[in-house]
């Protein structure tokens, strides 16, 4: 028994020495830590990129790595990393090192980025200096590269635009371009010109296959917010000038239809001129602060309108030295100060039905927070004016209204809603929750269904610890056939039929049984729905084991672990 105190003595000495070898972390150690940024995986899954970026300094190291092989290329200070859709090209911008950037600033010279265009097949790199931005065409046949301003103080926004044919290697240079974008097929390029003195300003369409450029509209105006539709055969833009003594551009909305590669005739553009339309709100303008957006059918353009303001001359502007507020203000003064800059650029969402040029203002001062969906003529307004000034309730409650964007008619969906969950991807439903119950409002029928009443399973997040209405665990996804909505339970995922009372536990109860939290994963960022006839990918996390990974599940079958380990 005398050995026990001696053994404890040696154990104590060992632990004391071990403790002396370790030290507490300091702020100096924090500088050496790095975080991983610029992560991307090529569409074919064969290549990956990442950067090690230290907390201090500018020695971020960027790597291009073959997933089944080794690192093939590295660079410093990369950003805006993108693969082409065919996985044959990788482009990224590179900033100058900190010492060089400081030297350029000291000389009052611009600090610009360089574009690195990496050919994955040949593992070669082309470099273009002084680049502001770039985009690949969806078809991966072209890359457009916009050069940075040579004179940062120049009032015009136009710079050189380089178009490179990624298949043939041909290069075209276009001058004084302010905005640019490819259509969906990559066969047409729309671009705006903003030149010094406004000479040659306009909107142009370049047929990249036929090597022909169409001047759509030119003039001394300023052109803003180029916008293609999803199909790539319609194009919209704003153009206008600022009248003397005013603050906002008096913009005209212009759009083109029936665009295609190889076209022999350009369809005449159509316009909506606000001062010639009786229904357009007086003293308002179409604002360039919001980009026009097409609906999927190509029959509507969603735009932002803003009230025109008189310009205040600097000599007439009083310097404020006190903040004035009133106790009846709906928005408290501290919040008004925070949102002041954003409010200056805020607009009211409106829609133009281009077939008959019917204008409908969706948002007003009283009806704000409007959400739209490109697949449906219905919109949802979240109106909180009744609840803003109530000091006895938390901010966030609102009444939901349905708006018919074709004519502006409105109808109440629900009052006193705290958890607005948006519009379904197919545009059939407005979704909200009340105390864990998920409610679906069908736009066409005007009916509300408590979808979770079909099951005795709770979807309420009871662990949510803020003093407001508790949320659900959220929507897991929607089926692409429009028949199912997937809801997250704490652990499992349930599919609810939209046209019957059928409910399916997609994860077969494995989540609850093994305390694994399953969540659906959508690998295609452009897809909003899931094909439930194909295997679905699940992200998994063990609440008690802390294991994580991925499972695969086919609806109606038991989930299968792809990789579920202690470390990922």
């Amino acid at each position: 028994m005398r050995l026990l105190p001696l053994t404890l003595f040696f154990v104590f000495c060992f632990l004391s020495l071990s403790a002396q070898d370790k030290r507490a972390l300091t702020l100096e150690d924090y500088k050496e830590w790095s975080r991983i940024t610029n992560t991307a995986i090529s569409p074919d899954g064969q290549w990956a990129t990442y950067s090690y970026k230290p907390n201090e300094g500018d020695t971020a190291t960027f790597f291009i790595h073959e997933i089944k092989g080794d690192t093939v290329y590295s660079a410093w200070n990369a950003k805006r990393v993108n693969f082409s859709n065919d996985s044959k090209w990788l482009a990224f911008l590179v900033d100058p090192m900190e010492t060089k950037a400081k030297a350029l600033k000291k000389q009052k010279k611009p600090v610009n980025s360089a574009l690195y265009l990496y050919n994955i097949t040949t593992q070669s790199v082309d470099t273009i200096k002084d680049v502001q931005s770039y985009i690949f065409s969806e078809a991966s046949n072209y890359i457009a590269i916009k050069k940075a301003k040579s004179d940062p103080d120049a009032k015009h926004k136009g710079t050189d635009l380089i178009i490179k044919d990624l298949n043939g290697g041909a290069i075209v240079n276009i001058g004084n371009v302010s905005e640019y974008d490819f259509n969906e097929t990559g066969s047409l390029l729309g671009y705006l010109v903003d030149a010094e003195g406004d000479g040659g300003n306009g909107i142009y369409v370049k047929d990249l296959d036929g090597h022909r450029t169409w001047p759509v509209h030119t003039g001394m105006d300023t052109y803003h917010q180029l916008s293609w539709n999803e199909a790539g055969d319609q194009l919209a833009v704003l153009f206008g000038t600022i009248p003397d003594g005013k603050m906002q551009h008096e913009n005209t909305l212009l759009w083109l239809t029936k665009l295609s590669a190889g076209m022999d005739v350009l369809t005449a553009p159509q316009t909506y001129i606000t001062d010639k339309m009786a229904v357009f709100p007086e003293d308002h303008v179409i604002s360039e602060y919001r980009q026009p957006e097409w609906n999927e059918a190509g029959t509507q353009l969603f735009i932002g309108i803003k009230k025109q303001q008189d310009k205040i001359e600097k000599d007439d502007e009083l310097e404020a030295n006190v903040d004035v507020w009133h106790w009846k203000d709906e928005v408290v003064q501290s919040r008004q100060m925070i949102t002041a800059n954003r409010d200056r650029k805020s607009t009211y969402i409106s829609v133009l039905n281009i077939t008959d040029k019917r204008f409908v203002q969706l948002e007003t001062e009283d009806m704000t927070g409007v959400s739209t969906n490109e697949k449906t003529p219905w919109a949802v307004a979240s109106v909180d004016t009744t609840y803003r000034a109530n000091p006895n309730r938390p901010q966030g409650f609102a009444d939901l209204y349905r708006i018919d964007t074709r004519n502006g008619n409105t109808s109440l969906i629900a009052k006193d809603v705290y958890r607005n969950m948006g519009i379904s991807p197919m545009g059939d439903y407005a979704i909200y929750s009340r105390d864990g119950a998920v409610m679906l409002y069908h736009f066409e029928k005007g009916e509300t269904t408590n979808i979770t009443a079909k099951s005795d399973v709770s979807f309420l997040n009871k662990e949510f610890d803020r003093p407001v209405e508790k949320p659900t665990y959220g929507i897991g996804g929607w089926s692409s056939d429009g028949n199912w909505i997937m809801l997250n339970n704490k652990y499992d995922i349930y599919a609810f039929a939209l046209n019957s009372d059928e409910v399916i536990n997609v994860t077969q109860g494995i989540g609850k049984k093994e305390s694994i939290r399953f969540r659906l994963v959508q690998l295609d960022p452009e897809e909003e729905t899931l094909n439930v006839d194909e295997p679905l990918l699940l992200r998994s996390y063990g609440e008690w084991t802390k294991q994580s990974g991925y499972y695969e599940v086919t609806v109606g079958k038991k989930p299968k672990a792809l990789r579920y380990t202690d470390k990922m």
Side-chain angles (χ1 to χ4, degrees):
M1 296 298 293
R2 294 177 61 186
L3 290 174
L4 182 58
L6 188 62
T7 302
L8 292 175
F9 172 76
F10 281 116
V11 170
F12 176 78
C13 292
F14 174 77
L15 292 175
S16 298
L17 289 171
S18 298
Q20 290 175 9
D21 291 338
K22 297 180 179 180
R23 61 179 178 81
L25 292 173
T26 67
L27 291 176
E28 293 300 316
D29 296 315
Y30 179 74
K31 297 178 183 178
E32 303 300 321
W33 292 2
S34 293
R35 58 188 183 275
I36 297 177
T37 61
N38 290 324
T39 56
I41 298 177
S42 61
D44 65 2
Q46 301 301 310
W47 301 88
T49 67
Y50 60 94
S51 291
Y52 286 132
K53 184 175 179 60
N55 286 322
E56 289 193 11
D58 65 337
T59 56
T61 310
F62 172 72
F63 299 96
I64 304 173
H65 187 84
E66 188 175 9
I67 291 178
K68 293 183 178 180
D70 300 319
T71 297
V72 296
Y73 190 81
S74 62
W76 299 106
N77 292 347
K79 64 180 183 181
R80 301 185 199 174
V81 180
N82 287 288
F83 284 97
S84 61
N85 285 340
D86 64 1
S87 300
K88 293 181 179 179
W89 300 88
L90 174 69
F92 54 94
L93 298 182
V94 171
D95 286 338
M97 299 295 282
E98 187 175 358
T99 52
K100 184 177 180 180
K102 286 182 178 178
L104 290 171
K105 290 178 181 178
K106 192 173 182 179
Q107 299 170 36
K108 296 185 178 180
K109 293 182 179 180
V111 181
N112 296 325
S113 304
L115 175 77
Y116 282 50
L117 182 60
Y118 184 80
N119 187 322
I120 293 176
T121 304
T122 63
Q123 296 189 3
S124 58
V125 180
D126 289 335
T127 305
I128 300 175
K129 296 180 179 180
D130 300 323
V131 172
Q132 183 185 84
S133 63
Y134 72 92
I135 54 171
F136 285 110
S137 63
E138 288 288 323
S140 304
N141 47 352
Y142 292 94
I143 183 172
I145 305 161
K146 188 176 187 298
K147 300 280 282 185
K149 280 185 175 184
S150 56
D151 180 7
D153 297 325
K155 292 183 179 180
H156 67 283
K157 298 179 181 178
T159 62
D160 286 350
L161 182 71
I162 299 170
I163 311 298
K164 180 178 174 64
D165 184 341
L166 296 176
N167 296 320
I171 294 177
V172 175
N173 193 312
I174 307 171
N176 293 315
V177 174
S178 57
E179 294 181 35
Y180 62 101
D181 197 10
F182 295 104
N183 72 340
E184 183 70 17
T185 62
S187 59
L188 300 175
L189 174 76
Y191 64 93
L192 308 181
V193 168
D194 186 22
E196 185 177 3
D198 296 330
N201 285 6
I203 173 174
Y204 299 78
V205 173
K206 185 173 181 63
D207 185 343
L208 296 167
D209 294 337
H211 304 289
R212 184 172 181 176
T213 300
W214 300 87
V216 177
H217 187 279
T218 61
M220 300 295 286
D221 301 278
T222 302
Y223 293 75
H224 310 271
Q225 299 290 17
L226 188 76
S227 177
W228 286 100
N229 70 332
E230 186 67 25
D233 58 0
Q234 293 176 295
L235 184 63
V237 72
L238 303 175
F239 69 89
T241 58
I242 300 177
D244 291 339
K246 300 294 182 180
M247 293 285 290
Q248 311 296 335
H249 282 87
E250 300 273 358
N251 286 315
T252 293
L253 175 64
L254 176 148
W255 65 94
L256 286 161
T257 59
K258 299 179 181 179
L259 298 172
S260 64
M263 56 187 172
D264 295 323
V265 178
L266 187 71
T267 304
Q270 300 183 66
T271 57
Y272 182 82
I273 305 173
T274 58
D275 59 6
K276 294 183 179 180
M277 301 296 175
V279 296
F280 195 83
E282 188 178 1
D283 297 328
H284 282 66
V285 298
I286 302 175
S287 176
E288 67 274 12
Y289 291 139
R290 180 181 176 89
Q291 184 180 31
E293 296 179 62
W294 292 90
N295 70 339
E296 190 177 77
T299 58
Q300 293 181 317
L301 275 166
F302 294 94
I303 56 178
I305 68 169
K306 188 173 182 64
K307 190 169 184 178
Q308 181 61 280
Q309 296 170 296
D310 292 330
K311 186 176 182 180
I312 301 175
E313 298 297 336
K314 196 168 184 180
D315 294 341
D316 298 332
E317 190 174 359
L318 297 176
E319 184 177 346
N321 57 7
V322 64
D323 291 319
V324 180
W325 61 280
H326 194 277
W327 69 275
K328 289 186 177 181
D329 284 352
E330 291 182 340
V331 180
V332 297
Q333 177 68 6
S334 57
R335 180 166 180 80
Q336 291 181 39
M337 294 171 67
I338 292 173
T339 62
N341 288 331
R342 185 186 68 185
D343 292 342
R344 290 188 188 100
K345 294 186 177 182
S346 64
T347 62
Y348 294 131
I349 299 175
S350 305
V351 62
L352 182 70
N353 296 275
I354 65 174
T355 304
D356 56 5
K357 295 188 178 181
R358 177 180 293 183
F359 172 86
V360 178
Q361 183 175 348
L362 305 179
E363 281 185 330
T364 64
E365 189 173 350
D366 295 324
M367 183 168 283
T368 58
V370 170
S371 300
T372 60
N373 183 297
E374 64 178 12
K375 292 182 174 65
T376 180
W378 303 103
V380 174
S382 177
V383 182
D384 66 350
T385 50
T386 305
Y387 311 99
R388 286 179 192 167
N390 188 341
N392 300 316
R393 302 186 76 185
Q395 293 292 310
F397 283 93
D399 299 332
L400 302 184
Y401 288 85
R402 177 188 70 174
I403 308 176
D404 189 334
T405 62
R406 294 162 295 193
N407 51 39
N409 292 339
T410 63
S411 57
L412 181 68
I413 296 175
K415 296 183 74 67
D416 208 25
V417 174
Y418 190 77
R419 299 289 179 184
N420 179 8
M421 301 173 75
I423 301 175
S424 63
M426 304 299 287
D428 299 323
Y429 298 92
I431 314 102
Y432 62 96
S433 70
R434 288 192 190 277
D435 298 317
V438 177
M439 318 296 287
L440 301 185
Y441 175 86
H442 195 280
F443 287 119
E444 293 290 344
K445 297 178 181 178
E447 299 174 352
T448 300
T449 302
N450 179 352
I451 194 76
T452 47
K454 299 179 181 181
S455 169
D456 58 0
V457 176
S458 173
F459 296 90
L460 183 68
N461 184 353
K462 296 178 181 179
E463 297 172 343
F464 188 84
D465 59 359
R466 298 178 188 174
V468 293
E469 180 184 314
K470 293 184 184 297
T472 67
Y473 283 99
I475 298 172
W478 299 77
S479 66
S480 54
D481 60 11
N483 294 327
W484 300 88
I485 177 176
M486 270 72 78
L487 298 181
N488 295 325
N489 172 249
K490 181 177 181 180
Y491 296 113
D492 291 299
I493 299 168
Y494 288 77
F496 288 78
L498 297 173
N499 302 313
S500 71
D501 291 331
E502 186 177 5
V503 180
I504 300 174
N505 187 332
V506 176
T507 48
Q508 302 282 302
I510 302 298
K512 182 178 180 180
K513 181 181 178 181
E514 301 183 18
S515 296
I516 299 174
R517 183 166 296 183
F518 289 112
R519 295 295 180 258
L520 286 159
V521 176
Q522 175 59 272
L523 292 177
D524 187 345
E526 295 186 359
E527 283 292 335
E528 297 179 296
T529 57
L530 298 160
N531 185 352
V532 294
D533 295 326
E534 299 291 334
L536 303 173
L537 184 64
L538 303 171
R539 185 174 63 252
S540 56
Y541 175 74
E543 183 174 21
W544 304 113
T545 65
K546 306 306 178 187
Q547 291 180 306
S548 62
Y550 293 92
Y551 276 66
E552 184 180 79
V553 65
T554 299
V555 177
K557 296 183 179 180
K558 185 178 179 180
K560 179 178 64 176
L562 300 177
R563 183 175 176 84
Y564 185 64
T565 62
D566 293 325
K567 294 182 179 180
M568 282 292 292

